[in-house]
Amino acid sequence: MIDAVREIQERLEGQHYVTDRAIATTIYLAMQLRKPVLIEGQAGVGKTEIAKVLAAALDTNLIRLQCYEGLDANTALYEWNYPKQMLRIKIDEGTQKGADEEEHLIFSEPFLLKRPLLQAVTNPDRAPVLLIDEVDRADEEFEAFLLEVLSDFQVTVPELGTITAVHRPYVVLTSNRTRELSDALRRRCLYLWIDYPSFEKELRIIATKVPDANERLAAQVAAFMQAVRQIKLGKTPGVAESIDWAMSLMALHADHLEQQTVRETLGAIFKDREDVAKISGKPLEVVLGSMDGLEGDELKAWTESIGQRLERELTAR
């Protein structure tokens, strides 16, 4: 690993983000090539967090555009502050200002509401991190508009002219693959897929994010999550749920997984009634019973074999 990539990895981990070489290398290349990074993966695996910790590591602004169906260019780029404009017109009534002078005044920068894309282009001090979150939720029309902005990092406000970025932003796009993104957008980005973590990486994440959890509890939580992800569920829990669950168990002063406590805290892991019903009862007993007393490499090996036992138990129901 070259020193610059190692430095990026150390910076990210300095912000309590457990990363790996692939992530650090992609972020390094994006910064060197000034290309956006498109990050895909299941919900809750840490896609959005990369942009947050990158901004913190670089000591720069994080500007977030949350995408949704129906998002349009005006909402993402800029709008005029109509109430302020109307108030100014009211104040200037009876003055000697001509119509052209008044129009020039109310369509000036003090009356401009900068939305995330324009904020990123006009950030005054240094290059910000622009997070375009869940871009797959936006419409194809907005995606086409986004291509223009990302290609030149300049936007045109008819009343003010063309505004070009002095400091080209670092751009992170995330997608949960609710729809397929266009080839044109993909070609303009470096690509990074983040999968569910291995047992070792998930254990490191829990230990980092929930430092008060003892080693036994952290390892059991990581192993339990590895096991349930092998079951076909409506909404597979991600790392975010692992952290939430570990924090919930700590709040209940648990130092290991105990059946009643696990059953009472399943809502921290599963967000679907059918998933809770599927894992409750005998499957839960199988997981906790077979896990009891295992540590270290034994627990890791257990995560690789428990999936088949669970499937057999669920099929027998």
Side-chain angles (χ1 to χ4, degrees):
M1 186 189 302
I2 66 173
D3 292 341
V5 174
R6 185 179 294 108
E7 182 184 350
I8 292 294
Q9 186 167 349
E10 290 174 353
R11 284 194 181 191
L12 296 179
E13 295 197 349
Q15 299 299 321
H16 308 293
Y17 184 83
V18 177
T19 186
D20 54 38
R21 180 172 177 174
I23 293 174
T25 301
T26 303
I27 296 300
Y28 169 74
L29 291 175
M31 294 173 66
Q32 291 298 307
L33 303 177
R34 289 298 193 176
K35 291 177 71 73
V37 181
L38 171 61
I39 307 176
E40 290 191 323
Q42 302 297 335
V45 294
K47 302 186 298 296
T48 299
E49 194 70 11
I50 288 180
K52 294 180 179 179
V53 298
L54 179 61
L58 297 176
D59 191 25
T60 190
N61 293 334
L62 173 68
I63 300 173
R64 179 173 182 171
L65 173 61
Q66 180 63 52
C67 297
Y68 55 86
E69 186 177 354
L71 176 65
D72 59 18
N74 284 342
T75 306
L77 193 56
Y78 74 93
E79 291 181 281
W80 289 107
N81 190 335
Y82 295 115
K84 187 176 180 180
Q85 288 176 320
M86 293 302 295
L87 179 61
R88 184 69 199 197
I89 291 172
K90 192 73 174 176
I91 292 173
D92 288 344
E93 283 183 355
T95 66
Q96 301 301 315
K97 290 182 179 178
D100 290 344
E101 184 182 1
E102 186 70 32
E103 181 179 352
H104 181 73
L105 173 64
I106 64 173
F107 286 106
S108 59
E109 191 164 338
F111 295 86
L112 188 67
L113 295 176
K114 296 180 181 180
R115 299 310 185 194
L117 293 181
L118 187 56
Q119 289 175 23
V121 169
T122 59
N123 200 67
D125 301 322
R126 62 181 67 183
V129 174
L130 172 61
L131 168 62
I132 304 175
D133 211 9
E134 298 184 326
V135 66
D136 52 317
R137 294 185 179 274
D139 301 326
E140 294 180 6
E141 291 79 5
F142 179 77
E143 187 181 325
F145 160 75
L146 197 58
L147 286 173
E148 297 182 23
V149 177
L150 295 181
S151 62
D152 300 320
F153 283 99
Q154 65 178 29
V155 296
T156 299
V157 179
E159 296 83 357
L160 300 178
T162 300
I163 303 172
T164 303
V166 177
H167 305 286
R168 190 181 180 96
Y170 304 108
V171 182
V172 176
L173 302 96
T174 71
S175 168
N176 292 328
R177 298 180 64 90
T178 58
R179 73 170 177 85
E180 189 64 30
L181 300 177
S182 69
D183 289 342
L185 179 62
R186 290 181 178 277
R187 284 197 304 270
R188 283 167 173 77
C189 302
L190 296 179
Y191 182 77
L192 179 62
W193 170 265
I194 300 182
D195 209 342
Y196 294 118
S198 64
F199 170 74
E200 294 92 339
K201 185 176 181 180
E202 188 150 21
L203 179 55
R204 286 180 59 205
I205 292 171
I206 294 170
T208 301
K209 295 293 187 180
V210 194
D212 293 334
N214 64 51
E215 186 176 345
R216 181 187 180 190
L217 178 64
Q220 288 185 337
V221 168
F224 185 96
M225 299 301 285
Q226 293 285 317
V228 298
R229 291 192 192 113
Q230 299 179 52
I231 305 171
K232 187 175 182 180
L233 297 168
K235 298 185 183 300
T236 302
V239 181
E241 284 71 34
S242 302
I243 296 169
D244 286 346
W245 191 35
M247 289 181 173
S248 300
L249 293 169
M250 288 298 297
L252 296 172
H253 307 290
D255 61 1
H256 69 284
L257 296 188
E258 188 269 333
Q259 191 163 145
Q260 182 177 347
T261 304
V262 172
R263 185 173 286 111
E264 291 171 351
T265 55
L266 288 177
I269 309 170
F270 304 106
K271 312 302 179 181
D272 181 87
R273 180 178 64 86
E274 293 183 1
D275 289 344
V276 173
K278 178 177 286 190
I279 198 66
S280 298
K282 186 65 174 177
L284 187 59
E285 294 176 9
V286 169
V287 172
L288 297 179
S290 60
M291 179 194 297
D292 190 40
L294 300 180
E295 296 182 4
D297 291 340
E298 292 178 330
L299 202 52
K300 178 186 175 183
W302 173 87
T303 64
E304 297 169 357
S305 62
I306 187 62
Q308 293 180 348
R309 294 182 61 184
L310 282 174
E311 287 296 343
R312 286 197 299 266
E313 179 60 41
L314 291 169
T315 303
R317 278 182 152 188

